[in-house]
Amino acid sequence: MVSVFSRRMFLFALLVLFTLAVLTVQARSEDRREIGFLGSLLVAALSPVQAAMTRVSDAVASGWRSLSEIGELRAENRRLRRQVEMLSEEVNRLREQAREAERLERLLDLARSLPHRTVAARVIARSPNAWYSTVLLDRGSKNGISMNDPVLTPSGLVGRVMEVGPASARVLLISDPRSAVGALVQRSRDIGVVQGLGGGHLSMRYLTRSAEVQEGDLVVTSGLGGVFPRGLPVGTIVRVTKDESGLFQEAEVQPAADLDRLEEVLVLLKGK
Amino acid sequence: MRVAFILLLVLTAVVVQTTWLVRVPIRGVVLDPVLPLVMAIGLLRGPEEGALFGLAGGLLQDLFAGTSLGLMGMAKLTLGFLAGFLTASLYLESALPVLVVTGLGTLFHEVAWTSLAGLTGQFPVPLTVWAGKALLQALYNAPLGPLGLALLRRIESKTSGSRRPHPVRPRRGGGP
């Protein structure tokens, strides 16, 4: 047992001495490193292996980088998409607000130019029927609205109030077949009646055969009948039909107000 | 045959460390697979082989690390030698003692090679920084101890058919 221990210690001491000798040589060299011929040979032999392994690790690292970059790009893409959606919503909202402000400004200008008291109202519903054209407003008798009050936009006449509730009012549009508006051709002063044909179309009837009506003429309310005040724009004549055998001639009228896209309107409080 | 296998294993560990592991340092500390391997050799084969393979592995590390030859060589020579004496008192079938001994062995190794580096004027790192890195190195190396031991046992069983290591086993004419 003692001899085994002694042999071990001898070997250990030998190895330590050898290493110390190597270390001493190293420490005395200029760069504290002197690998010698054997070391150079070993390095030269193993350098191709190291190069190959480095290439493998380079490829793995590159693949990993690509994968992580893809993940990052996806995350960034998602974030940017969300941002674009958010900004688009914001732009749409602001655009909508700007348009509404523009419409309301025009409505206000109209209200100021009229001699009547007015109430601005928002269209909250419209008739689903294709032929009968009515819209529901968010203002009613509490706001002073009464039956037959004329309704208009800055572009022209819209219709008249046909039903009134405390907080709502239904408007019969001039394009409804039940509507008839006393009107005159602004240029020639010929009188007729503008009737609704349904589906957004109007017809000016009872124009005398001698009336000088032509396409492009502006039709305004005549004030006859007592419902609509005089001079509100109704529409523009787009076609004139003259029946040779008949007593009257007839004209197709394009409504001045965009009846399909009503959003805010002005109600003339005629009775007050 | 067995010696050649173990030498190849040590060489592979050095090359893997200097090409791959250096690219994935953990908090600035690179895993040292040679150290647990040298300790496992010492634990399984005794102080002589521990010292010899320790010296070989350490010198190879010095060679490829660009440091003075002998710094790691001396540290690992001593570590492998001392590990050989633990065989009788350590229960090698459990991973925990091996793990703890590998951690402590790493600390010893760090102290040994940095002392030598200091003696030869090659220790520019502040002591506090060194202490932190040494502790981290011990923490990271410790789990490799049981793995190194298992790997070495596998090689032993493949090359000699023996799974029972014995540091005082007769070298010639004996064996199970």
Side-chain angles (χ1 to χ4, degrees):
Chain A
M1 194 67 180
V2 174
S3 68
V4 170
F5 185 76
S6 302
R7 196 191 59 186
R8 280 179 181 165
M9 291 313 289
F10 176 72
L11 179 72
F12 179 65
L14 206 67
L15 290 175
V16 166
L17 277 175
F18 166 74
T19 315
L20 280 176
V22 171
L23 253 178
T24 309
V25 171
Q26 305 290 302
R28 293 178 67 178
S29 67
E30 196 179 341
D31 296 325
R32 291 198 173 86
R33 182 173 160 87
E34 183 62 58
I35 62 171
F37 174 73
L38 203 64
S40 303
L41 200 69
L42 206 56
V43 169
L46 284 176
S47 57
V49 179
Q50 285 183 303
M53 287 175 77
T54 302
R55 273 199 294 276
V56 170
S57 61
D58 280 347
V60 171
S62 169
W64 178 255
R65 259 199 311 276
S66 301
L67 279 176
S68 57
E69 270 174 17
I70 286 171
E72 279 169 21
L73 287 174
R74 277 188 182 155
E76 191 177 358
N77 197 318
R78 271 199 299 274
R79 191 176 56 77
L80 290 174
R81 272 177 193 277
R82 271 201 300 273
Q83 205 171 342
V84 166
E85 279 170 16
M86 226 166 63
L87 290 173
S88 298
E89 276 173 24
E90 180 78 6
V91 165
N92 286 339
R93 195 174 58 78
L94 291 174
R95 202 173 277 165
E96 195 60 28
Q97 278 180 356
R99 282 179 185 158
E100 190 176 347
E102 201 178 307
R103 286 196 307 268
L104 291 173
E105 198 179 324
R106 288 176 61 200
L107 215 58
L108 195 63
D109 286 345
L110 176 68
R112 281 179 187 144
S113 69
L114 291 168
H116 303 83
R117 283 205 319 128
T118 56
V119 168
R122 191 180 294 271
V123 175
I124 54 173
R126 49 177 63 239
S127 161
N129 194 303
W131 303 109
Y132 299 98
S133 310
T134 62
V135 293
L136 193 68
L137 306 182
D138 65 346
R139 296 281 187 273
S141 56
K142 281 199 296 190
N143 307 97
I145 295 175
S146 56
M147 285 285 287
N148 291 326
D149 277 351
V151 180
L152 59 155
T153 68
S155 304
L157 187 66
V158 168
R160 63 179 169 84
V161 174
M162 65 181 292
E163 270 172 31
V164 190
S168 66
R170 185 167 293 280
V171 177
L172 181 73
L173 301 186
I174 52 173
S175 58
D176 190 289
R178 294 169 286 177
S179 166
V181 180
L184 58 87
V185 178
Q186 194 181 45
R187 184 183 56 82
S188 63
R189 316 308 291 174
D190 290 304
I191 294 172
V193 175
V194 172
Q195 284 192 316
L197 298 176
H201 301 288
L202 304 176
S203 173
M204 188 167 183
R205 288 174 181 165
Y206 311 116
L207 287 164
T208 57
R209 280 182 60 82
S210 59
E212 291 174 9
V213 182
Q214 58 191 50
E215 287 175 21
D217 279 347
L218 182 66
V219 178
V220 296
T221 50
S222 64
L224 299 174
V227 175
F228 300 102
R230 191 183 177 93
L232 298 177
V234 177
T236 311
I237 291 174
V238 289
R239 198 169 58 195
V240 182
T241 314
K242 199 177 276 186
D243 187 0
E244 293 299 328
S245 59
L247 294 171
F248 302 104
Q249 53 181 326
E250 201 172 313
E252 193 178 320
V253 177
Q254 175 74 38
D258 191 350
L259 301 176
D260 292 329
R261 292 181 181 82
L262 291 172
E263 288 178 78
E264 294 92 17
V265 294
L266 210 59
V267 183
L268 300 187
L269 303 181
K270 203 171 47 124
K272 309 294 183 295
Chain B
M1 182 69 169
R2 183 182 57 78
V3 171
F5 259 112
I6 295 173
L7 207 56
L8 189 67
L9 195 66
V10 171
L11 191 65
T12 307
V14 173
V15 175
V16 165
Q17 187 195 20
T18 53
T19 52
W20 289 351
L21 295 179
V22 288
R23 299 183 72 155
V24 282
I26 309 165
R27 290 174 180 264
V29 173
V30 178
L31 275 177
D32 182 0
V34 182
L35 188 140
L37 205 58
V38 166
M39 286 198 73
I41 293 166
L43 288 170
L44 280 180
R45 304 300 306 177
E48 295 97 327
E49 286 196 31
L52 278 168
F53 283 110
L55 176 61
L59 283 177
L60 279 170
Q61 279 185 312
D62 284 330
L63 190 66
F64 288 106
T67 53
S68 295
L69 295 186
L71 285 182
M72 293 274 182
M74 180 69 93
K76 285 201 167 63
L77 153 70
T78 317
L79 184 69
F81 184 73
L82 291 177
F85 285 104
L86 291 174
T87 314
S89 53
L90 205 66
Y91 182 58
L92 295 180
E93 303 307 315
S94 172
L96 190 64
V98 180
L99 190 135
V100 173
V101 163
T102 309
L104 292 173
T106 306
L107 283 177
F108 169 79
H109 174 267
E110 293 298 307
V111 172
W113 89 261
T114 44
S115 300
L116 282 171
L119 283 173
T120 51
Q122 302 176 63
F123 189 61
V125 189
L127 205 64
T128 47
V129 176
W130 168 84
K133 298 270 180 195
L135 279 171
L136 269 180
Q137 186 82 60
L139 278 174
Y140 296 149
N141 277 356
L144 293 180
L147 292 174
L149 199 66
L151 184 67
L152 214 62
R153 276 180 165 159
R154 202 170 175 80
I155 290 171
E156 290 271 319
S157 68
K158 295 277 181 196
T159 52
S160 65
S162 167
R163 291 179 69 84
R164 180 181 287 278
H166 202 283
V168 290
R169 186 171 49 194
R171 313 292 288 201
R172 290 192 187 88

